[in-house]
Amino acid sequence: MWKHLITSLILIIAVFILSAIMLDRWISWKTAPYIFDDLRQLPEREVGMVLGTSKYYKAGAYNQYYFYRIQGAVNAYNSEKVKYLLLSGDNAQHSYNEPNTMRRDLIKAGIPASKIVMDFAGFRTLDSVVRTRKVFDTNDFTIITQRFHCERALFIAMHMGIEAQCYAVSSPKNMMTIRFREVFARLGAWADLYILKREPRFLGPLTPIPSQQIAPTGIEGYPAVSPEELQGMETRNRSK
């Protein structure tokens, strides 16, 4: 009996791993036509949406993924491939603010502040992609991130009927662990879209790009905005 149970368990695990690998390869194949490694071949778009990540690892080391995304955003703007940069990232804590960190570094690199828009509710890739369409009224835009992340972001966009392309920036040489985790991240994205039918945690009023960016008042530590504060802002806006 135990032998039969162990054999069944091994078979289930093997099927699960094989399915995850097949899904990973299918997503890469499906999104390949919309990913551009060469900036010269990248079609021009109004908005470039930069997917956020932390600038430093927990141990304090500089995050090369962050560096390449910022440099890619600068290159895309300076090459006139995009006119505005939408910075979408996690901002759930006052001490951690991906969009504002990116904004500071982009301004230091010479990008005009008037060409930068921040999305403080890009808690996940799904949130960032869908909010770009539903909140910032941008359906045909360029995603800026690494290729493996491009593929998952475009997979989400295509499922949601969003027309997007991706500029795949460079990746650090040693990314085996990240790539392994990506296989399961794609499995999670598939479950979010096809089983759980998830939507972004927050949407809010339509804010087309370009538009005047006004800092909200009465929030401690702005531009850090907690989910509760963001939800309160959106409730007040709807009641006006």
Side-chain angles (χ1 to χ4, degrees), residues 107-149:
I107 290 175
K108 287 180 182 178
I111 305 299
S114 60
K115 300 297 184 180
I116 298 174
V117 180
M118 291 185 287
D119 177 10
F120 295 110
F123 302 112
R124 301 176 304 156
T125 302
L126 184 147
D127 296 63
S128 296
V129 171
V130 177
R131 280 176 57 83
T132 300
R133 174 65 185 94
K134 292 188 175 182
V135 174
F136 296 97
D137 197 27
T138 302
N139 186 54
D140 192 357
F141 56 94
T142 297
I143 302 167
I144 301 174
T145 188
Q146 277 74 26
R147 172 172 277 272
F148 71 89
H149 202 184

Side-chain angles (χ1 to χ4, degrees), residues 68-232:
Y68 287 128
R69 291 182 199 182
I70 292 298
Q71 189 58 55
V74 171
N75 292 344
Y77 178 84
N78 288 339
S79 299
E80 299 183 346
K81 295 297 184 177
V82 298
K83 297 179 181 178
Y84 294 88
L85 291 172
L86 173 61
L87 314 180
S88 184
D90 191 350
N91 184 41
Q93 301 176 14
H94 288 296
S95 60
Y96 184 73
N97 191 324
E98 290 177 354
N100 195 50
T101 300
M102 290 191 288
R103 181 178 185 273
R104 287 198 302 264
D105 287 339
L106 287 169
I107 290 175
K108 287 180 182 178
I111 305 299
S114 60
K115 300 297 184 180
I116 298 174
V117 180
M118 291 185 287
D119 177 10
F120 295 110
F123 302 112
R124 301 176 304 156
T125 302
L126 184 147
D127 296 63
S128 296
V129 171
V130 177
R131 280 176 57 83
T132 300
R133 174 65 185 94
K134 292 188 175 182
V135 174
F136 296 97
D137 197 27
T138 302
N139 186 54
D140 192 357
F141 56 94
T142 297
I143 302 167
I144 301 174
T145 188
Q146 277 74 26
R147 172 172 277 272
F148 71 89
H149 202 184
C150 279
E151 293 171 349
R152 175 156 45 98
L154 287 172
F155 171 65
I156 294 169
M158 294 169 72
H159 178 79
M160 293 293 189
I162 298 171
E163 297 178 8
Q165 62 181 17
C166 194
Y167 174 38
V169 302
S170 300
S171 298
K173 292 182 179 180
N174 186 10
M175 56 174 293
M176 185 176 296
T177 301
I178 295 293
R179 191 61 188 85
F180 177 77
R181 288 168 51 191
E182 178 64 19
V183 173
F184 295 96
R186 295 182 184 193
L187 193 62
W190 178 85
D192 284 343
L193 297 173
Y194 289 92
I195 298 176
L196 302 175
K197 311 290 185 180
R198 283 185 173 170
E199 292 284 340
R201 288 172 60 184
F202 301 103
L203 285 175
L206 195 65
T207 310
I209 298 174
S211 64
Q212 185 179 5
Q213 301 298 303
I214 302 175
T217 58
I219 292 181
E220 181 182 355
Y222 181 82
V225 182
S226 70
E228 292 77 15
E229 290 170 333
L230 186 62
Q231 191 172 34

